[in-house]
Amino acid sequence: MSRALPPLRLLTVFEAVLRHGGVRPASAELNVSQPAVSQALRQLEAHLGATLLDRSTRPAGLTEAGRLLHRATAEGLGLIAEAIEDIERLNAGVGPSATVACSVGFATYWLMPRLAGFYDRNPDMAINVMTTQQGAPGLAAGVDIAIRYGDGKWNDGVVTPLFDERIDPVCSPALAARLAEAGGGLEAATLIHVNVEDGRWTPWGAYLRRAGLPAAGRRQGLHFTNYVQATQAALAGQGVMLGWRSITGDLVREGRLEHAMDATVVPEDAFYLVAADRPRSPAAVAAATAWLAAEADRPEA
């Protein structure tokens, strides 16, 4: 190395201040006084011979040097923390693992029911599942694979297509029979809505326009904040929901839900696997990636 690294405690203080957005919460986490935190920041700047914080703003912002160090520090400390976790697993006799981040709906209805197949093939490996509300989780520290719904144009990892989505109105078999007796339309149906901020997910209005169908459903409808709740309502016969392949595909094949009508819409976005460039356990990530791709390629997936 061209010059000595600063003491690790100074880098830890710097990272904590930026992660918490201020000296006070960082001092509480580190269990030291606020003046001690401020002094550590000045010592770090003196060691580097560069100003890291622009103190002319409130709150203080990062200088260009600060941004460079923050990016490296966050990544470096994250890798150290991950290495410690790996050592603890090694000491405990636990095999290699991969952490997969995905939405709650994808985890509940697509990934978890298939995991037994991975363990049958890889008994000495583990897949840890981290759920998020959004459909495009990031590759944060500790995440090896992100399952994302979107256009696939990401550059933070190795992108592999999984499968296209399909959208069909679905409901319980009993409700499907009643709708068929009433003429097969959705005019009198109770529509189940999922209110999400992610604009990639198609709501009822957009679906009906793309399918060339007239406005439908009772005025009130049922509203939920995630697809797990909406799916449970559909299974209970409370209304018709927009069934996505990743969420309701298996339930339709099992006969627990049925297509309320034959009007499939294929959105432009799809599901992709994004693997970290430098995974903690390359063997586990390679095995998980290959297995996920193979599962997604199955005709019934």
Side-chain angles (χ1 to χ4, degrees):
M1 294 184 181
S2 59
R3 62 182 301 167
L5 291 174
L8 180 59
R9 66 176 182 84
L10 300 184
L11 296 174
T12 301
V13 170
F14 177 67
E15 189 275 336
V17 169
L18 296 180
R19 175 160 44 84
H20 286 290
V23 170
R24 178 180 296 178
S27 66
E29 176 187 295
L30 299 171
N31 197 27
V32 297
S33 67
Q34 295 182 47
V37 171
S38 298
Q39 183 180 23
L41 292 175
R42 292 190 179 90
Q43 288 175 346
L44 180 59
E45 289 178 324
H47 181 95
L48 298 173
T51 301
L52 301 175
L53 298 175
D54 180 3
R55 295 176 176 83
S56 65
T57 63
R58 290 293 180 271
L62 285 171
T63 63
E64 182 59 28
R67 283 189 287 272
L68 290 171
L69 184 63
H70 179 221
R71 184 165 57 247
T73 300
E75 180 178 352
L77 292 177
L79 290 173
I80 292 172
E82 292 169 6
I84 292 173
E85 292 177 1
D86 289 340
I87 292 171
E88 291 174 346
R89 286 194 293 269
L90 183 63
N91 291 337
V94 179
S97 65
T99 296
V100 178
C102 58
S103 69
V104 175
F106 189 93
T108 302
Y109 293 110
W110 195 92
L111 179 57
M112 299 303 293
R114 291 169 167 79
L115 270 184
F118 176 83
Y119 292 128
D120 286 342
R121 297 184 180 184
N122 305 276
D124 298 327
M125 295 182 179
I127 288 183
N128 306 312
V129 181
M130 179 185 299
T131 59
T132 62
Q133 291 300 321
Q134 73 272 19
L139 286 171
V143 175
D144 302 299
I145 296 171
I147 306 298
R148 296 177 181 169
Y149 178 70
D151 59 12
K153 297 177 181 179
W154 301 290
N155 56 14
D156 58 336
V158 181
V159 179
T160 301
L162 283 182
F163 56 78
D164 294 330
E165 262 292 5
R166 295 191 302 265
I167 311 174
D168 297 274
V170 297
C171 60
S172 68
L175 180 54
R178 292 198 299 271
L179 292 174
E181 292 175 357
L186 300 174
E187 291 78 8
T190 296
L191 301 186
I192 297 174
H193 303 267
V194 182
N195 301 324
V196 295
E197 296 181 358
D198 192 337
R200 288 177 290 250
W201 294 93
T202 303
W204 268 107
Y207 165 80
L208 293 170
R209 288 192 297 272
R210 289 199 59 183
L213 297 173
R218 298 173 183 170
R219 182 174 300 177
Q220 183 66 26
L222 298 176
H223 293 261
F224 298 93
T225 58
N226 65 65
Y227 282 91
V228 174
Q229 297 168 337
T231 302
Q232 292 305 115
L235 287 167
Q238 296 175 12
V240 181
M241 73 174 287
L242 286 178
W244 295 72
R245 172 187 180 185
S246 58
I247 296 174
T248 60
D250 287 349
L251 298 174
V252 171
R253 282 187 291 274
E254 294 166 3
R256 298 173 63 190
L257 291 175
E258 290 186 6
H259 291 157
M261 60 189 311
D262 185 15
T264 300
V265 166
V266 178
E268 294 180 358
D269 290 326
F271 272 96
Y272 296 83
L273 180 156
V274 185
D277 291 317
R278 293 185 294 176
R280 294 174 297 167
S281 177
V285 171
T289 298
W291 171 76
L292 286 165
E295 284 296 313
D297 196 44
R298 287 161 58 95
E300 69 272 19

